[in-house]
Amino acid sequence: MTARRVPVTRRRRVAGRPRGAFTPEGEAPDVGELVSRQLRQALATVAAALISLAGLPAVALWLRAPGAWVALTLAVQPVLVALAVHHLKRAERLER
């Protein structure tokens, strides 16, 4: 027996939600509201990062302790990583 070829008329859909799909409640998602929430969250994250980048050296200058700059170099990176993780979790929560 020979296998018969069948022409494919359209591409298969990739797994996931189809384009233009509705939310489980049956309503279309409000894109404008989602964008404004994410923008507010991004601005809050940027403000916190600027405060930490500008505020920690100011505290180190104010304390004038010899080990303040060493502590500062070890403290800034974990603070920024924590801010990034918090922002990621919050943005994912907003998209649900």
Side-chain angles (χ1 to χ4, degrees):
M1 265 192 170
T2 60
R4 194 173 76 158
R5 296 183 124 195
V6 178
V8 177
T9 57
R10 64 181 181 168
R11 291 178 19 175
R12 295 175 133 191
R13 289 203 79 81
V14 179
R17 194 183 303 191
R19 290 183 196 153
F22 293 108
T23 57
E25 295 84 27
E27 300 175 2
D30 188 11
V31 176
E33 182 181 343
L34 177 63
V35 169
S36 66
R37 285 182 184 177
Q38 287 180 339
L39 180 61
R40 280 194 303 266
Q41 177 61 33
L43 290 175
T45 302
V46 168
L50 288 176
I51 289 171
S52 67
L53 287 175
L56 289 175
V59 169
L61 284 174
W62 182 62
L63 291 177
R64 296 189 191 264
W69 289 103
V70 174
L72 179 64
T73 59
L74 297 176
V76 171
Q77 192 67 26
V79 168
L80 293 178
V81 169
L83 278 172
V85 169
H86 175 70
H87 178 75
L88 177 66
K89 287 181 180 180
R90 179 72 177 150
E92 287 176 346
R93 191 178 317 138
L94 285 174
E95 287 181 359
R96 287 188 213 152

